[in-house]
Amino acid sequence: MNDHPLPTLRNQLLSLHKQLMNTERTAYEAAGNVIQSPMQFLQLLMEHERFAWLRQLSQLVVMMDEAMEEKPPITKERMDALVAEAKHLLTGSEEPGSFAVRYAKAREHASAVAAAHVEIIKSLG
């Protein structure tokens, strides 16, 4: 597993998720909404439509975590499938409103997201 990109990719996706949450939070607040506490923000992340697209990324990170903890150890095929799923999530859809399209817009507007994307693409190979 040491030479497989999955553990590194998982960490990169988790970091990307945090950056995307911050970007969405900033835009949400710029629209005149007030987030008064971390608990309120967590509730918005879990329930509000504006943040729904981010849930796909958090679910993928959880799937990776669970797979890497499996006994017996995760197979190379399963790791490859998770990497392919990440690639598809990030870049595999032109459909309006899809994660890939929303993510492309976020990359255009946030340099930190664009920089994280470059590193993730290197991991994806």
Side-chain angles (χ1 to χ4, degrees):
M1 187 155 93
N2 294 349
D3 61 343
H4 200 280
L6 187 63
T8 300
L9 178 61
R10 178 256 178 223
N11 292 338
Q12 291 170 326
L13 292 175
L14 189 61
S15 176
L16 173 66
H17 186 264
K18 183 174 183 171
Q19 291 169 344
L20 290 170
M21 284 189 319
N22 291 337
T23 301
E24 280 296 312
R25 179 182 183 149
T26 300
Y28 181 77
E29 291 176 326
N33 302 293
V34 177
I35 299 175
Q36 297 182 359
S37 70
M39 283 305 296
Q40 183 190 4
F41 185 49
L42 181 60
Q43 190 169 1
L44 287 169
L45 286 169
M46 293 188 313
E47 298 172 5
H48 195 282
E49 186 59 35
R50 176 182 192 105
F51 300 95
W53 70 285
L54 295 175
R55 291 180 213 132
Q56 292 176 274
L57 182 55
S58 52
Q59 289 166 351
L60 180 58
V61 171
V62 168
M63 284 173 45
M64 289 177 170
D65 286 344
E66 289 172 350
M68 289 188 293
E69 292 173 8
E70 285 174 5
K71 303 285 186 246
I74 183 173
T75 63
K76 182 180 183 318
E77 291 75 22
R78 177 91 169 103
M79 285 192 281
D80 290 347
L82 286 165
V83 169
E85 194 159 333
K87 191 173 199 171
H88 178 75
L89 180 66
L90 297 179
T91 62
S93 177
E94 306 273 320
E95 197 174 308
S98 70
F99 184 94
V101 169
R102 304 261 323 245
Y103 175 57
K105 285 182 188 160
R107 288 196 314 267
E108 290 173 20
H109 298 294
S111 59
V113 173
H117 179 72
V118 170
E119 294 305 310
I120 289 168
I121 293 303
K122 288 179 190 170
S123 290
L124 290 171

